[in-house]
Amino acid sequence: LYDWVSTNFLTLDPSWFTITRSTTRPVTVKRDDHFSSTALRYAQAINEGLRLDLGAARDHLDSNIDAAIYRRNTIGIGGLWKPAPRWELAPQARMAATHYKIKHPLDDDPDITKILCLSLTRRQDAIAVSWRVEWLDNDSPFDEECYERTVVECIFAYQF
């Protein structure tokens, strides 16, 4: 609930000090989203310690909010290399084109997202420790949606 008090200081009328009080209710919309994704993944073991992954996906988000509706096509390549029995190194690259229902008035191009990721994992029985760095670049016709992001994670996992 938003409340405000207003006065009119710019009048010569002595009643300028009259205080008016108004209340408005914020506009809220209950979201009704429906997400679906179709993915195809191919994994090929090159040898005992090396694996290649290829992937493609098509995502749909339908919503009662027009600005949220999109269709996204993604392709990716990744791998897994085990240089030693308890170590894993996993590089990954993905690229996606996202077409939103609400488009830029002068540029109909989709948002192009590029992601590079590298993770290093050490496993010891039921414990795993991982270090992961991900770089993301999003290029959009809307300037406020163009950004770069780097995420660094350190993960401790215990399997029980």
Side-chain angles (χ1 to χ4, degrees), residues 27-66:
V27 176
T28 58
V29 176
K30 183 179 179 196
R31 287 189 70 144
D32 184 21
D33 292 351
H34 300 278
F35 179 78
S36 65
S37 180
T38 303
L40 178 64
R41 180 173 174 236
Y42 174 77
Q44 175 67 49
I46 307 298
N47 61 34
E48 191 174 306
L50 187 61
R51 185 183 77 214
L52 174 67
D53 296 315
L54 301 173
R58 170 81 171 172
D59 302 329
H60 299 261
L61 179 67
D62 291 317
S63 177
N64 61 329
I65 299 173
D66 284 347

Side-chain angles (χ1 to χ4, degrees), residues 6 25 72-73 116 127 140-141 150:
S6 63
R25 301 176 104 197
R72 176 180 297 136
N73 297 314
L116 294 174
I127 296 173
S140 173
T150 302

Side-chain angles (χ1 to χ4, degrees), residues 111-124:
D111 282 23
I112 301 295
T113 306
K114 298 172 282 283
I115 299 171
L116 294 174
C117 179
L118 182 65
S119 66
L120 178 65
T121 303
R122 164 83 171 155
R123 297 185 188 282
Q124 183 72 42

Side-chain angles (χ1 to χ4, degrees), residues 2-140:
Y2 300 103
D3 293 328
W4 72 88
V5 175
S6 63
T7 60
N8 185 355
F9 295 104
L10 302 177
T11 181
L12 297 175
D13 184 357
S15 66
W16 68 269
F17 195 67
T18 303
I19 297 176
T20 59
R21 183 178 175 96
S22 300
T23 303
T24 62
R25 301 176 104 197
V27 176
T28 58
V29 176
K30 183 179 179 196
R31 287 189 70 144
D32 184 21
D33 292 351
H34 300 278
F35 179 78
S36 65
S37 180
T38 303
L40 178 64
R41 180 173 174 236
Y42 174 77
Q44 175 67 49
I46 307 298
N47 61 34
E48 191 174 306
L50 187 61
R51 185 183 77 214
L52 174 67
D53 296 315
L54 301 173
R58 170 81 171 172
D59 302 329
H60 299 261
L61 179 67
D62 291 317
S63 177
N64 61 329
I65 299 173
D66 284 347
I69 298 172
Y70 69 81
R71 305 289 181 265
R72 176 180 297 136
N73 297 314
T74 305
I75 59 170
I77 186 169
L80 179 70
W81 176 46
K82 294 183 178 183
R86 299 186 189 281
W87 291 91
E88 296 175 356
L89 183 66
Q92 188 180 75
R94 293 188 314 271
M95 185 171 185
T98 306
H99 298 266
Y100 287 93
K101 181 176 181 180
I102 296 181
K103 299 177 176 43
H104 193 282
L106 303 175
D107 189 350
D108 194 23
D109 291 341
D111 282 23
I112 301 295
T113 306
K114 298 172 282 283
I115 299 171
L116 294 174
C117 179
L118 182 65
S119 66
L120 178 65
T121 303
R122 164 83 171 155
R123 297 185 188 282
Q124 183 72 42
D125 300 323
I127 296 173
V129 177
S130 297
W131 174 80
R132 180 175 176 267
V133 63
E134 179 182 277
W135 173 80
L136 180 143
D137 176 56
N138 192 67
D139 185 24
S140 173

